[in-house]
Amino acid sequence: DQQVKQNSPSLSVQEGRISILNCDYTNSMFDYFLWYKKYPAEGPTFLISISSIKDKNEDGRFTVFLNKSAKHLSLHIVPSQPGDSAVYFCAALRAQPSRTGANNLFFGTGTRLTVIP
Amino acid sequence: DAGITQSPRHKVTETGTPVTLRCHQTENHRYMYWYRQDPGHGLRLIHYSYGVKDTDKGEVSDGYSVSRSKTEDFLLTLESATSSQTSVYFCAISRSGTTNNEQFFGPGTRLTVL
């Protein structure tokens, strides 16, 4: 059962416009959320994160919004650039680390963003 | 750059053969993870390690085993490869076990089981 869902497999946006990528989760024990960006033939790279005690976190052109009551988060990219074209994964962590101290990430299925020049 | 390498980067093998994938890190991090990425599933955790000789199962551990005999290396073994194990495998590390700690990923190994 997918605990983190990205219901849009793809998104196309004109260069300079806003890209909005959405993510929903079902497990109320998640309290830290991350976005990763992945180019073909490379590993995912960390982009931005947010704790559940916040509703917004901003880093340059990237802003993540969290609506905890709706179990929904979104990533906004403004302005979008052709180099932003990649697959974006939403991921979540549980409130308490496991007994081993490791943090097991739960990933969504990804959204492929294409920014058209 | 988290200093993570994976080998091999590509492998084609036949059903029933054993396969071992290697993850190597240069920064002495305690936690290491193996994920697989498949269309329609995102990345799913196979096994992870929280120290030398300390490992535990993840979400999709059936058919896989792991070993960590030294801090820098984490091996993933498919004892008898099946076609359902055709996938892209990613290794990751995290710098500590704190809740808000990001994981950093290696470049991946594309495995094809014929």
Side-chain angles (χ1 to χ4, degrees), chain A residues 11 13 18-19 22 33 38 49 53 58 65 87 90 95 108 111:
Chain A
L11 174 68
V13 172
I18 184 171
S19 295
N22 294 304
F33 304 90
K38 186 182 178 308
S49 61
I53 62 173
E58 190 172 354
F65 295 92
V87 177
C90 172
T111 297

Side-chain angles (χ1 to χ4, degrees), chain A residues 55-83:
Chain A
D55 55 16
K56 176 182 174 181
N57 188 29
E58 190 172 354
D59 184 3
R61 296 186 297 115
F62 303 91
T63 302
V64 56
F65 295 92
L66 176 63
N67 182 334
K68 198 173 180 181
S69 61
K71 296 191 177 67
H72 176 83
L73 62 155
S74 60
L75 174 68
H76 293 212
I77 306 174
V78 182
S80 300
Q81 300 174 354

Side-chain angles (χ1 to χ4, degrees), chain A residues 2 4-7 87-90 107-111, chain B residues 40-43:
Chain A
Q2 197 80 21
V4 179
K5 300 178 182 179
Q6 294 175 257
N7 293 319
V87 177
Y88 289 79
F89 290 99
C90 172
F107 281 84
T109 53
T111 297
Chain B
H41 290 280
L43 283 83

Side-chain angles (χ1 to χ4, degrees), chain A residues 2 31-32 34 36 38 41-44 46 49 89 93-95 97-105 107-109, chain B residues 9 30-31 33 35 37 40-43 45 48 50 56 59 90 96-107:
Chain A
Q2 197 80 21
D31 81 338
Y32 196 74
L34 306 90
Y36 283 83
K38 186 182 178 308
E42 295 183 10
F46 170 73
S49 61
F89 290 99
L93 282 171
R94 287 180 177 161
S98 68
R99 60 173 176 80
T100 64
N103 293 307
N104 298 346
L105 281 172
F107 281 84
T109 53
Chain B
R9 293 295 312 278
R30 178 181 176 189
Y31 299 95
Y33 309 81
Y35 290 87
Q37 184 198 358
H41 290 280
L43 283 83
L45 182 66
Y48 66 94
Y50 50 100
D56 206 349
E59 183 184 1
F90 290 101
S96 74
T98 56
T99 305
N100 61 348
N101 196 47
E102 301 87 18
Q103 292 182 17
F104 297 87
F105 286 81

